[in-house]
């Protein structure tokens, strides 16, 4: 066998060696994180979903396949949704809340964490209230509408002694982790360039995503953040500068403060550069390309709900597809209950770094200047 890693990889894929058995021998702790495909057995994370919209519906359905996370609470401003979701997911009436009374979760032992899946501008206040109630916070991205709010969320959770996790589902996706592994193990050589294309043509002009008061912006907050975050974990460094340019072809649909299309560039300490596009006005944009002196990795689609399709200079990459939100919630249960450290962070500091970059991109757009970053 070529290495202990190769031996362990084959061992865990063969006839059912359980993570628990491995942990008892001390092997699990020594295994490289990308090869840990399952979380160890342990307590179930009891989750209240806040904001019962379309993405919460996707999360709820995915959680039915979770081994370590289950829906035990609901928070919504729509009574009919509380009733129908409560019946569908077997959530009793005393674990259903609205936005006025959900602070009472502090007295509910059947809720460990709240997954905030509401419009972006509401994340900050809701996070502070959940933390004050002594519950862990899982917040959908973007964590807030600016770095100031993000920093206050991190501080509130630290003060309350609860964890703050951001819904970066791609951080647990198998093809993504394989690309990161290839870069870390030197298979690509020194990284030179990253391209991230993130966009789609948005529909209903009256939806909350095009309302600055609710969304905090436009495409950058919703879809461009994938390219920002992806550049960081694919390159493996924190950017030190950004430049950016905005194009707006429909000022009626994309009002003041709601960005339609932004191209942006980032520079990294090693000299690597990233060139990215965020848009609400073009379809078929879901691509990551990472170039190194020895090889490349390309993912297209790169951040959609799956399956993710990837290839490298060595050929196609075909890791098995598992519903992203199922894996995410099981892994987050292990992070909260077992203090597991994921291969790519999903904590509040990770989310805050993306907010600092978005703030800098918007400053670069308005000023036309290169903006320096200090994320370390």
């Amino acid at each position: 066998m070529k290495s202990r890693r190769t031996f362990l990889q084959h061992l865990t894929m063969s006839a059912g060696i359980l993570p628990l058995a491995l942990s008892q021998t001390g092997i699990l702790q020594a295994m490289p994180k990308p090869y840990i495909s399952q979380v160890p057995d342990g307590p179930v994370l009891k989750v209240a979903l806040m904001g019962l919209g379309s993405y919460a519906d996707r999360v709820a359905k995915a959680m039915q396949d979770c081994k370590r996370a289950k829906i035990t609470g609901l928070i919504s401003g729509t009574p009919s949704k509380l009733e129908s979701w409560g019946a569908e997911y077997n959530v009793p009436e005393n674990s259903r809340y609205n936005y006025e009374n959900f602070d009472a979760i502090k007295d509910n032992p059947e809720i460990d964490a709240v997954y905030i899946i509401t419009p972006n501008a509401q994340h900050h206040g809701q996070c502070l209230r959940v933390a004050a109630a002594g519950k862990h916070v899982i917040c959908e991205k973007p964590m807030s509408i600016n770095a100031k709010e993000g920093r206050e969320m991190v501080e509130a959770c630290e003060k309350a002694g609860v964890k703050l996790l951001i819904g970066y589902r791609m951080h647990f996706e198998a093809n993504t982790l394989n690309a990161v592994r290839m870069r870390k193990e030197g298979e690509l050589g020194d990284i030179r360039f990253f391209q991230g294309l993130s966009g789609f043509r948005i529909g209903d002009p009256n939806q909350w995503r095009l309302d600055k008061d609710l969304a905090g912006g436009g495409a950058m907050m919703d879809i461009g953040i994938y390219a920002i975050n992806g550049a960081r974990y694919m390159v493996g460094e924190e950017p030190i500068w950004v430049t950016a340019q905005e194009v707006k072809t429909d000022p009626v649909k994309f009002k003041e403060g709601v960005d339609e299309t932004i191209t942006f560039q980032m520079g990294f300490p090693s000299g690597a550069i990233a060139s990215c596009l965020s848009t609400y006005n073009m379809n078929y944009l879901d691509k990551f390309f990472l170039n190194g002196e020895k090889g490349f990795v390309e993912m297209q689609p790169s951040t959609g709900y799956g399956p993710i399709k990837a290839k490298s200079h060595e050929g196609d990459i075909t890791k098995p597809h598992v519903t992203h939100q199922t894996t995410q919630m099981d892994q987050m249960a292990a992070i909260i209950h077992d203090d597991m450290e994921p291969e790519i962070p999903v904590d509040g500091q990770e989310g805050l770094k993306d907010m600092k970059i978005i703030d800098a991109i918007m400053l670069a757009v308005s000023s036309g200047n290169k903006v320096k970053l200090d994320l370390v």
Side-chain angles (χ1 to χ4, degrees), residues 6-200:
T6 304
F7 166 71
L8 290 171
Q9 184 181 10
H10 288 301
L11 184 63
T12 56
M13 290 189 295
S14 64
I17 298 296
L18 294 175
L20 180 60
L22 290 174
S23 65
Q24 290 173 343
T25 65
I27 293 175
L28 182 61
Q29 288 84 353
M31 290 173 62
K33 293 171 191 170
Y35 294 103
I36 302 175
S37 59
Q38 296 181 349
V39 293
D41 291 338
V44 171
L45 184 67
K46 295 174 286 188
V47 181
L49 299 181
M50 176 186 288
L52 306 182
S54 60
Y55 189 70
D57 182 61
R58 184 179 292 274
V59 171
K61 287 180 169 59
M63 286 183 67
Q64 303 315 294
D65 293 324
C66 284
K67 295 179 174 61
R68 290 198 56 184
K70 69 176 181 178
I71 301 169
T72 60
L74 299 168
I75 304 169
S76 174
T78 306
S80 61
K81 285 187 177 181
L82 289 172
E83 183 177 355
S84 61
W85 282 56
E88 182 172 358
Y89 296 109
N90 197 29
V91 177
E93 289 189 20
N94 61 1
S95 289
R96 307 175 196 171
Y97 303 87
N98 58 43
Y99 295 123
E100 285 70 45
N101 67 12
F102 75 80
D103 306 274
I105 60 173
K106 68 178 183 294
D107 299 318
N108 191 336
E110 292 304 308
I111 296 174
D112 299 323
V114 176
Y115 193 165
I116 299 173
I117 317 177
T118 54
N120 308 335
Q122 298 174 356
H123 294 177
H124 171 261
Q126 291 166 344
C127 171
L128 268 54
R129 289 173 65 185
V130 172
K135 305 298 182 180
H136 300 291
V137 180
I138 303 171
C139 184
E140 191 46 42
K141 61 82 194 159
M143 68 181 298
S144 58
I145 61 171
N146 55 51
K148 177 180 180 296
E149 287 192 355
R151 190 175 298 108
E152 290 171 355
M153 293 165 67
V154 170
E155 292 171 352
C157 290
E158 289 177 347
K159 181 179 179 181
V162 299
K163 285 186 168 68
L164 170 59
L165 306 179
I166 313 302
Y168 290 123
R169 58 188 167 82
M170 301 312 300
H171 292 202
F172 307 107
E173 194 275 326
N175 290 285
T176 300
L177 289 176
N178 188 72
V180 171
R181 176 195 63 77
M182 292 178 68
R183 186 256 301 160
K184 284 188 172 183
E185 295 186 0
E187 294 181 27
L188 308 180
D190 291 341
I191 300 303
R192 302 301 190 196
F193 176 74
F194 172 81
Q195 181 187 49
L197 306 178
S198 299
F200 63 92

Side-chain angles (χ1 to χ4, degrees), residues 47 92 158 174 207 276 280 321:
V47 181
E158 289 177 347
Q207 62 180 283
C276 303
Y280 264 163
H321 171 68

Side-chain angles (χ1 to χ4, degrees), residues 324-335:
H324 299 169
Q325 295 80 5
T326 303
T327 304
Q328 170 193 317
M329 296 308 294
D330 269 341
Q331 296 284 335
M332 286 185 166
I335 293 170

Side-chain angles (χ1 to χ4, degrees), residues 301-320:
S302 58
T303 62
Y305 294 135
I308 300 302
K309 294 184 179 180
K311 64 181 180 181
S312 77
H313 57 285
E314 297 178 342
D316 290 342
I317 301 171
T318 55
K319 299 298 179 182

